[in-house]
Amino acid sequence: MVLGKGFRKASFLDCIMLDVDRTIVALSSAAGAAARCLVRLTGPDAIEIAQHVFTGTAPLAEMAGFTHQQGLVQTPQFTLPARVYVFRGPRSYTRQDVIELHLPGNPLAATGVVDALLSAGAEPAGAGEFTARAFFSGRIDLSEAQAVADLINAADTAHLRSAVANLGGKVHRLCEGLAQRLCSELALIEAAIDLAEEDLTLDTPPAVAGRLAQVAREATSLASDAIDMPETTHQPVVVLAGKPNAGKSALLNALSGEDRAIVSALAGTTRDVLSAQMMLDGVEIELLDAAGIGRTDDPLATSADSAARQAVARADILCFVADSADPDLAGNAELLAELRAINTRMPVLVLANKADLLATPDAAAQSLASLSEDVLPTSAATSDGLPAVRDKLRDLLHLSASRPGELLGLHQRQKRHLLAAAEATTRAADPLARDTHLADRAELVAIDLRDALAQLGNISGQVVTDDVLSEIFSRFCVGK
């Protein structure tokens, strides 16, 4: 691995690079109560430090790798049943000794055990430090390290399946295959340079150019066909907004399947932005019920109006809810235009609510046809129209139906390097197609091929800078 420019920034990466022999500890399970929680240590003194708190039938130092035993964890405050797992380096995730303590899932117990291990000589792990050690030790490459964060942060089933495939080395194998083919051609080109005076024909330039062009096409296809892996976890936000008493709260309850909002015939009952969760194809959507916008009759209403506008500003989709029997079309149109101005990038879906109070759903949609070409009649009371709303949200959010999980998932950085590798390979291939002898411009071709290999190396981590590492590992949580 070649590290570019050194590690100048005062970040957790400095600590990892300069002192990988620290023994680190962290709570490695999610926050909150559960049936079990996991405390993990790694480093040269992991076994000795863990022995300070764990008592079992055999000393930890006598345990082989990939074994476990039941016992007790003792701290100054309590004694708990626990199970210890031992992973011996170098056949471990970090290539150092790793100890996992599995405890009853009480947050206080986990915190107490971590504190006891810190007192025994361990140091707190930084965000992503376990995976960073795996990367720096050569246990995984950079694409696999990135896949660990993707697996943790996956927001839908397509991203989850792609992350699992990448963690299994899919990106690594693809890049390695391209790199091996480029290396073979580079060896041929360099041999042509060395043997230029021997008048030997190693291969014809057009044949080499054809193989290089094929590599370039494959790299370009990989980059263009891959689904986009998110750089950060983003939960889609759908905001329900409209005039007071349009039925936003009832729709929030109906779409989410839980009573999060008070439903009343009194206009302005909701005075704040309420939140609920809705699942669509395995993706958790955040639904926000924005309080009636435009009310300034008291300070509380003004505050609610401001919160509602902030919710609209961060919305991925706006569901503009209008009472289909409301005769004030001009008022609805004015409010809708105002909301569009707050967030010009969001798609808008107009819901003609309370459609059950009109003769037909078509009548409800026609009553608001002047607001949008796409109006969906809905009724929170009867659930009519809600399946159509969910289908429309699926389309607007481009959920998993349009992104099969077997597709390769790549980050924008990885796509950029793949395309740069393809471009460099094309630069090498183009002049060869017109040459008679490989040695004619072999030195220039070799430079381009080395550039292509370097671009692929940026994906695997064979060539990497501190900025790239900071960008990737900043997405990790502590304990991973």
Side-chain angles (χ1 to χ4, degrees):
M1 178 177 63
V2 180
L3 297 174
K5 299 183 181 179
F7 284 72
R8 300 180 302 277
K9 297 181 180 179
S11 67
F12 78 95
L13 286 171
D14 290 298
C15 300
I16 299 170
M17 280 298 295
L18 297 176
D19 191 5
V20 293
D21 289 332
R22 299 183 311 137
T23 297
I24 55 174
V25 62
L27 173 63
S28 296
S29 49
R36 180 184 294 187
C37 66
L38 188 157
V39 173
R40 181 181 290 139
L41 302 94
T42 191
D45 300 322
I47 291 176
E48 179 184 348
I49 291 173
Q51 193 70 75
H52 280 79
V53 301
F54 181 84
T55 302
T57 56
L60 298 183
E62 297 178 4
M63 293 179 64
F66 298 97
T67 60
H68 65 85
Q69 65 167 305
Q70 293 291 133
L72 297 174
V73 163
Q74 296 176 310
T75 75
Q77 293 79 29
F78 51 76
T79 298
L80 290 173
R83 177 177 292 182
V84 65
Y85 289 80
V86 175
F87 305 91
R88 294 282 190 172
R91 297 182 61 202
S92 69
Y93 184 57
T94 63
R95 293 200 185 278
Q96 299 174 304
D97 288 342
V98 175
I99 298 293
E100 290 185 357
L101 293 169
H102 291 230
L103 313 165
N106 184 295
L108 294 176
T111 301
V113 171
V114 170
D115 288 343
L117 292 168
L118 291 173
S119 297
E123 298 184 39
E129 189 166 353
F130 287 90
T131 302
R133 289 192 179 199
F135 166 65
F136 289 130
S137 68
R139 176 69 173 78
I140 58 177
D141 81 343
L142 198 61
S143 67
E144 291 166 310
Q146 208 159 4
V148 174
D150 293 334
L151 185 62
I152 295 169
N153 297 325
D156 62 39
T157 52
H159 286 145
L160 180 64
R161 289 193 292 265
S162 292
V164 170
N166 293 348
L167 185 58
K170 186 173 184 178
V171 173
H172 170 79
R173 289 191 297 273
L174 289 171
C175 291
E176 185 178 44
L178 294 175
Q180 287 176 349
R181 290 158 64 186
L182 290 178
C183 283
S184 296
E185 303 304 330
L186 179 59
L188 192 63
I189 295 297
E190 291 182 339
I193 296 173
D194 294 337
L195 302 175
E197 297 179 358
E198 302 296 330
D199 196 26
L200 296 176
T201 302
L202 301 175
D203 204 342
T204 64
V208 176
R211 293 193 294 269
L212 291 177
Q214 179 61 29
V215 171
R217 285 193 295 271
E218 291 179 21
T220 301
S221 178
L222 285 173
S224 59
D225 294 343
I227 65 172
D228 289 324
M229 297 298 284
E231 303 306 320
T232 57
T233 305
H234 174 67
Q235 184 181 30
V237 176
V238 176
V239 172
L240 305 175
K243 293 170 60 179
N245 208 33
K248 299 182 296 297
S249 298
L251 278 176
L252 178 92
N253 292 340
L255 288 170
S256 66
E258 55 180 312
D259 292 335
R260 291 286 291 122
I262 300 172
V263 179
S264 169
L266 180 63
T269 301
T270 305
R271 289 302 192 100
D272 202 353
V273 176
L274 299 180
S275 174
Q277 306 301 315
M278 176 177 67
M279 297 299 296
L280 281 179
D281 297 336
V283 181
E284 192 173 58
I285 311 297
E286 184 179 14
L287 286 176
L288 297 180
D289 170 15
I293 292 178
R295 299 185 68 233
T296 58
D297 51 341
D298 63 65
L300 184 60
T302 301
S303 176
D305 178 87
S306 176
R309 291 174 188 275
Q310 291 176 17
V312 171
R314 70 184 188 93
D316 292 299
I317 296 174
L318 172 67
C319 287
F320 184 77
V321 184
D323 185 341
S324 55
D326 185 358
D328 185 18
L329 283 176
N332 277 311
E334 182 180 349
L335 179 55
L336 179 55
E338 188 178 344
L339 296 176
R340 287 182 186 271
I342 294 173
N343 185 343
T344 57
R345 63 174 177 78
M346 64 181 177
V348 176
L349 185 59
V350 175
L351 306 183
N353 201 30
K354 304 183 183 180
D356 56 304
L357 301 181
L358 297 187
T360 64
D362 287 342
Q366 291 169 5
S367 69
L368 298 171
S370 62
L371 297 180
S372 172
E373 295 180 357
D374 193 8
V375 178
L376 295 180
T378 59
S379 170
T382 64
S383 296
D384 289 341
L386 298 191
V389 173
R390 293 188 178 95
D391 288 342
K392 190 65 177 179
L393 292 176
R394 285 187 184 93
D395 292 341
L396 293 173
L397 291 170
H398 308 292
L399 296 185
S400 56
S402 63
R403 294 185 294 151
E406 62 269 14
L407 286 178
L408 178 69
L410 294 175
H411 290 267
Q412 288 301 314
R413 181 190 69 84
Q414 294 170 320
K415 288 187 177 184
R416 287 195 301 271
H417 288 304
L418 262 180
L419 292 173
E423 182 180 346
T425 304
T426 299
R427 287 199 308 271
D430 285 348
L432 285 176
R434 301 184 295 273
D435 286 342
T436 304
H437 302 287
L438 282 179
D440 287 351
R441 60 184 93 202
E443 292 184 0
L444 294 177
V445 171
I447 291 173
D448 288 327
L449 290 182
R450 291 191 191 99
D451 183 17
L453 287 167
Q455 295 295 340
L456 294 175
N458 274 296
I459 298 173
S460 66
Q462 292 175 316
V463 180
V464 70
T465 66
D466 54 346
D467 292 338
V468 169
L469 292 177
S470 294
E471 174 189 336
I472 291 173
F473 285 104
S474 65
R475 301 174 57 225
F476 279 74
C477 54
V478 173
K480 304 300 181 186

